Amino acid sequence: MKKISALSLSILTIVIFWLLAGEFFTLKESNELSSKLQCVSYAPFSKDESPLTSSGVIVVSEELVRNDLALLAKYTTCIRTYSTLGLEIVPKIARENGLMMYMGAWVSSDKINTQKEINKLIELVKANQDVVKAVIVGNEVLLRGDTSENQLVSYIKQVKEALPNTKVTYADVWEFWVKHPKLKEVTDFVTIHILPYWEDEPKNIKKSIGHLADVRGEVEALLGDKNILIGETGWPSEGRMREDAHPSKINQAIFIREFVKLADKNSWDYNIIEAFDQPWKRVSEGAVGSFWGLFDKDRVDKGVLSSEVSNFSNYKILMFGSITLVLLFSLVLRNKEISRKNLILFYLFNTIFAILFTLGLEQYRVTIRDIWEFTWATLVICVHLSLYYLSLAYISHDRAAYVVGVKDVLAQKTRGVDAFLMLLFYISSVLVAILNLSLAFDGRYRNFEVYMFAISIISFVFLYRKAYTKFIFGRFEKILFIIILLTSISIFINETYLNIFSNIWILISLGYAYVLYIGSKKVSYSELKKVIVFIVLSLALFWALKYGFLRNNALILECGNKSSSLLCGIRDSLGLYIYLGYFGIGALIVALVGYFTNDKVVLFLALIVSIGAIVLGNTTLGAIVFLATLYKSIEVDS
């Protein structure tokens, strides 16, 4: 009866939690918009399609475009496109649905392809004058550093000369119009992007609309021109928090509804980003990039413009998942006698872990974008499912965890449940270090996996609560402690104290760092001097390469005008290799050679290349190879 009562209370707690979550995180007031949106960004790709094709040839489904524009015509009077090549059928179908267009040409560092875009733009506009409100030559080109201001101006002038009866503009983040006022002289009106979530100093949902209004007023004052189109504004419905700017379905609905009402009140011209969620954007923008749509990837209305909106619209499924976990793990108690104290503790852990595990699964469902992230998530899930079970098993047996030597576990000299627990701690520590390196060096688009790793840190703190001083770690674990500590500081600086998820993640990381520190106290820093100096020098080398060469503003401008120069060729090649992940793959290959040969020189070369991968953008693979090679190098050196 005690077990049944405890189980019932656990299930009741879970039901109440998810009912409250489903209720509390719901936008109740209708606050519906009374008129259609002025304009919406449109990319004609389904959930399985992408413009980032290996062939460079875009094939758009006419059936998809017809269905999309028929749907959008119910909500807006205009669409904005960003490219012309492959999108030739769009103007015709827009006309059939009574939609006007801001037609865009994609301007990039590839001059040949850019010229094709412009030629096609001119051709399409001449054939579809009646549906084209204006043309937009280039989107955030200066922000990306794809070309120089002079080159961009020449493209704009070319289009203006060819289309004297059509208004021509350029679109970029608002700061770049302020930095390049010359653009105003060659365009018919100003098109600025104001995305409070993406600002260098992100704005939370409460401050976002006020910030947007201030920015528009500032640009108008600085450029002396009221003729401004807000070419992109919006809010993501999913993704990682940036400072206190939180992507969510409710925040997206609040932002869009409040912005549109303010824009209508002030007679602002605007375009909302975007019509449909675009999964392909995860490649360059992380999970958050694919959740800016008014409709999801399956063209289902997200309720952004009207009706109730919930951050946990699937809370019943999540509730069922949590209850299922509690029931399954309750089988640990089958045919076991347990004290009242341990029974309460058992179901306390079972309830908390069930909710955290369900939230973690939901996070991965939203954020996973490829086979590699699926593999990572599978590993993390397996580790934490094991920890979930072990925590409850230790409680049910009313015993503490015994500390066993890491080297003995890795050498399979020690086996059993305590050895398995130590192995899980070791694996988790390495996973945390990988995540910390990724967040510290390339964290802009990465999520904080707080739910799953909250399970592990709670488990380890509880199970090893009386045994921290018995840990015996070596030089690798000492370096792991240093890495986690320093990257935690870096993450805090980058994210600030405003980011709740970042703060929780840092607490989790520091928990791991503390255990590693306690266990490696006997290892002196002097023993690590050579390795630390080597790592610091390698970091400095690649940091200089990144910011002194690849992101050198002067060189970027020069390459925009003289792309045939040797330096520009090298820079473009390096950029392509980084984009394709060659640094990370190269580090992996060299590391594998080093592992099989036990050659110190090859291992140190792998370390250098892996550090380069971390700094230059192939961060996750670079971090994995770096830690694996570091471990092997220390082992060989011993």
Side-chain angles (χ1 to χ4, degrees):
M1 285 303 296
K2 289 178 183 178
K3 291 178 183 178
I4 293 173
S5 298
L7 173 60
S8 300
L9 182 60
S10 175
I11 293 173
L12 179 62
T13 302
I14 287 171
V15 169
I16 292 172
F17 173 86
W18 285 114
L19 286 176
L20 287 175
E23 179 74 17
F24 183 76
F25 295 106
T26 298
L27 182 63
K28 287 293 184 182
E29 58 268 30
S30 60
N31 198 23
E32 297 181 4
L33 300 176
S34 58
S35 59
K36 289 184 178 182
L37 300 175
Q38 285 187 21
C39 202
V40 177
S41 293
Y42 174 62
F45 307 107
S46 71
K47 62 182 178 181
D48 300 316
E49 294 177 328
S50 168
L52 306 175
T53 58
S54 56
S55 64
V57 178
I58 297 173
V59 179
V60 173
S61 164
E62 182 172 343
E63 181 183 3
L64 177 73
V65 175
R66 287 190 178 280
N67 291 336
D68 283 351
L69 297 193
L71 175 61
L72 290 179
K74 300 175 183 177
Y75 298 89
T76 185
T77 59
C78 161
I79 58 171
R80 176 188 170 184
T81 57
Y82 292 76
S83 179
T84 56
L85 299 178
L87 278 67
E88 292 86 351
I89 62 172
V90 175
K92 173 188 174 184
I93 301 174
R95 179 185 296 107
E96 292 173 359
N97 288 277
L99 293 169
M100 298 295 288
M101 291 183 66
Y102 284 114
M103 188 180 291
W106 189 258
V107 175
S108 67
S109 56
D110 185 337
K111 290 186 176 181
I112 295 175
N113 201 61
T114 297
Q115 193 56 56
K116 289 180 181 178
E117 282 273 354
I118 288 174
N119 292 342
K120 181 59 68 174
L121 174 72
I122 293 169
E123 176 189 331
L124 288 175
V125 173
K126 286 182 176 179
N128 298 279
Q129 288 275 2
D130 58 315
V131 298
V132 179
K133 295 180 71 172
V135 297
I136 302 175
V137 182
N139 182 71
E140 297 186 351
V141 181
L142 298 177
L143 171 66
R144 295 192 305 274
D146 281 354
T147 191
S148 66
E149 180 187 274
N150 291 336
Q151 182 63 62
L152 178 60
V153 166
S154 70
Y155 289 142
I156 294 171
K157 286 183 175 179
Q158 180 186 350
V159 173
K160 284 181 68 68
E161 289 174 6
L163 302 171
N165 298 319
T166 303
K167 291 183 178 181
V168 180
T169 185
Y170 163 70
D172 211 327
V173 175
W174 64 274
E175 294 100 324
F176 284 84
W177 277 93
V178 176
K179 293 176 183 177
H180 300 272
K182 184 179 178 181
L183 293 173
K184 178 177 171 293
E185 300 173 10
V186 295
T187 54
D188 293 304
F189 60 93
V190 174
T191 300
I192 57 174
H193 295 170
I194 312 176
L195 299 160
Y197 171 84
W198 277 132
E199 293 281 13
D200 291 337
E201 295 181 6
K203 307 302 176 188
N204 64 37
I205 192 64
K206 292 181 180 179
K207 297 179 181 177
S208 59
I209 297 297
H211 169 75
L212 183 147
D214 291 342
V215 166
R216 193 198 177 284
E218 180 181 343
V219 173
E220 182 178 319
L222 289 171
L223 298 182
D225 192 344
K226 294 183 178 181
N227 195 8
I228 294 174
L229 167 68
I230 299 176
E232 281 185 4
T233 194
W235 197 272
S237 60
E238 299 281 0
R240 60 107 74 202
M241 198 169 180
R242 296 190 69 234
E243 294 188 10
D244 57 347
H246 185 205
S248 74
K249 298 179 183 70
I250 289 177
N251 285 348
Q252 183 184 37
I254 290 172
F255 182 89
I256 297 297
R257 295 180 195 184
E258 290 187 3
F259 165 74
V260 171
K261 288 186 176 182
L262 182 65
D264 289 345
K265 179 182 177 181
N266 291 284
S267 300
W268 293 343
D269 294 327
Y270 67 85
N271 171 73
I272 299 293
I273 186 167
E274 60 191 322
F276 305 105
D277 285 347
Q278 298 289 304
W280 63 268
K281 289 187 177 181
R282 295 185 181 194
V283 175
S284 56
E285 297 179 19
V288 72
S290 64
F291 292 102
W292 290 75
L294 303 176
F295 299 83
D296 70 15
K297 62 184 179 181
D298 295 311
R299 276 46 182 176
V300 176
D301 190 351
K302 291 160 70 174
V304 176
L305 304 178
S306 62
S307 75
E308 290 187 355
V309 182
S310 174
N311 288 343
F312 293 103
S313 55
N314 60 339
Y315 75 92
K316 292 181 180 178
I317 296 174
L318 298 176
M319 181 196 301
F320 176 77
S322 296
I323 293 173
T324 301
L325 286 168
V326 163
L327 290 172
L328 285 174
F329 281 100
S330 292
L331 294 175
V332 173
L333 288 180
R334 187 176 53 182
N335 301 325
K336 283 189 176 69
E337 291 295 326
I338 186 171
S339 67
R340 178 178 295 178
K341 175 186 174 183
N342 283 347
L343 183 64
I344 293 171
L345 201 58
F346 181 95
Y347 276 106
L348 177 64
F349 273 62
N350 201 357
T351 305
I352 293 172
F353 284 5
I355 292 171
L356 287 172
F357 200 86
T358 307
L359 286 168
L361 291 177
E362 175 68 3
Q363 183 181 42
Y364 287 134
R365 183 190 69 81
V366 170
T367 60
I368 289 175
R369 56 185 173 179
D370 54 36
I371 186 62
W372 305 112
E373 291 189 352
F374 176 79
T375 303
W376 169 273
T378 301
L379 174 60
V380 173
I381 288 168
C382 288
V383 167
H384 288 84
L385 203 59
S386 300
L387 282 170
Y388 190 160
Y389 169 78
L390 283 180
S391 297
L392 297 181
Y394 273 100
I395 294 171
S396 67
H397 285 89
D398 192 22
R399 82 173 186 86
Y402 296 104
V403 174
V404 296
V406 173
K407 290 185 177 180
D408 291 339
V409 174
L410 295 177
Q412 295 187 339
K413 293 180 181 179
T414 303
R415 298 185 180 182
V417 67
D418 293 309
F420 186 45
L421 181 63
M422 177 56 69
L423 180 62
L424 290 176
F425 172 76
Y426 206 71
I427 293 171
S428 298
S429 299
V430 173
L431 294 178
V432 168
I434 292 169
L435 284 170
N436 268 29
L437 285 166
S438 299
L439 288 165
F441 284 91
D442 188 29
R444 183 176 175 89
Y445 305 117
R446 300 180 185 276
N447 291 280
F448 299 95
E449 299 177 29
V450 295
Y451 303 116
M452 285 296 179
F453 284 89
I455 293 174
S456 59
I457 197 62
I458 292 171
S459 298
F460 294 134
V461 167
F462 174 76
L463 295 176
Y464 288 124
R465 60 193 181 280
K466 296 179 180 179
Y468 297 133
T469 56
K470 296 179 182 179
F471 279 92
I472 301 175
F473 293 137
R475 289 185 292 169
F476 175 74
E477 292 77 30
K478 189 78 165 186
I479 294 177
L480 210 58
F481 151 69
I482 296 171
I483 289 170
I484 293 176
L485 177 63
L486 293 180
T487 50
S488 294
I489 294 171
S490 175
I491 293 167
F492 180 78
I493 293 171
N494 292 336
E495 300 295 332
T496 78
Y497 69 93
L498 295 171
N499 192 327
I500 297 171
F501 288 91
S502 170
N503 292 338
I504 295 172
W505 177 257
I506 290 169
L507 288 175
I508 292 171
S509 299
L510 292 178
Y512 277 93
Y514 175 74
V515 177
L516 290 167
Y517 168 73
I518 292 295
S520 60
K521 262 189 173 182
K522 293 182 179 180
V523 179
S524 67
Y525 291 103
S526 61
E527 295 179 55
L528 308 173
K529 184 177 179 181
K530 289 183 180 179
V531 177
I532 292 173
V533 169
F534 177 82
I535 293 172
V536 170
L537 289 176
S538 298
L539 283 171
L541 171 66
F542 286 104
W543 205 264
L545 176 64
K546 183 176 183 177
Y547 292 99
F549 182 65
L550 293 173
R551 295 191 181 179
N552 184 294
N553 290 330
L555 185 60
I556 290 172
L557 289 175
E558 179 184 341
C559 292
N561 294 316
K562 302 176 182 179
S563 58
S564 59
S565 70
L566 178 60
L567 276 178
C568 292
I570 294 172
R571 178 182 172 274
D572 290 344
S573 297
L574 279 174
L576 179 62
Y577 295 155
I578 293 166
Y579 178 76
L580 295 174
Y582 286 177
F583 269 89
I585 296 170
L588 179 61
I589 293 171
V590 178
L592 289 173
V593 173
Y595 256 72
F596 286 114
T597 62
N598 281 340
D599 189 304
K600 287 185 180 181
V601 175
V602 177
L603 287 170
F604 274 101
L605 179 60
L607 272 179
I608 293 174
V609 181
S610 65
I611 291 170
I614 291 171
V615 174
L616 297 176
N618 302 152
T619 313
T620 300
L621 183 55
I624 293 170
V625 175
F626 170 69
L627 293 175
T629 309
L630 187 62
Y631 177 84
K632 185 67 174 180
S633 300
I634 290 173
E635 183 184 84
V636 170
D637 195 43
S638 300

